Amino acid sequence: FTTQDQPRRSLQKRMQSILAAISKSRGCVRQIENLNPSGAFEQDILNRAKVLLAQDKNYNKGFKFDHIWPILKDIEKFGDDHSIATPYF
């Protein structure tokens, strides 16, 4: 690999970890939504999902991507597909 490939690999690795966390979080949100919490607002559901996510040893330090959650939460890739997407550059 050349030194020019390093930034690309670094970006790919970062995107994979972001997409994995978003996918895992979306699954937690879906589980909470399936409980049909009456009167729960979107933020309440998200907070409960974060508690559920923190039970996973890989995410016990919490969800680090609150700043991009609103952007990525509804993209098609996370709709019904539970697989972790691999970005293509």
Side-chain angles (χ1 to χ4, degrees):
F1 294 106
T2 67
T3 57
Q4 292 175 344
D5 290 334
Q6 269 185 322
R8 182 190 311 178
R9 284 196 316 265
S10 177
L11 180 59
Q12 286 175 329
K13 180 76 173 148
R14 182 68 173 155
M15 280 303 297
Q16 286 175 344
S17 57
I18 290 170
L19 293 174
I22 294 289
S23 181
K24 183 75 171 179
S25 182
R26 183 66 192 131
C28 291
V29 167
R30 189 174 293 117
Q31 284 183 359
I32 300 300
E33 288 173 343
N34 288 339
L35 295 174
N36 295 323
S38 70
F41 292 103
E42 183 177 351
Q43 189 60 46
D44 296 330
I45 292 171
L46 187 57
N47 290 339
R48 290 177 65 186
K50 286 179 183 180
V51 170
L52 183 60
L53 181 69
Q55 293 175 9
D56 184 319
K57 67 180 176 91
N58 294 324
Y59 299 98
N60 61 359
K61 292 184 179 178
F63 184 67
K64 300 177 187 177
F65 304 108
D66 288 318
H67 60 290
I68 57 173
W69 172 255
I71 299 167
L72 296 178
K73 70 179 177 113
D74 292 323
I75 64 173
E76 186 66 31
K77 208 169 269 185
F78 304 111
D80 294 321
D81 186 3
H82 297 288
S83 66
I84 296 174
T86 302
Y88 297 99
F89 294 97

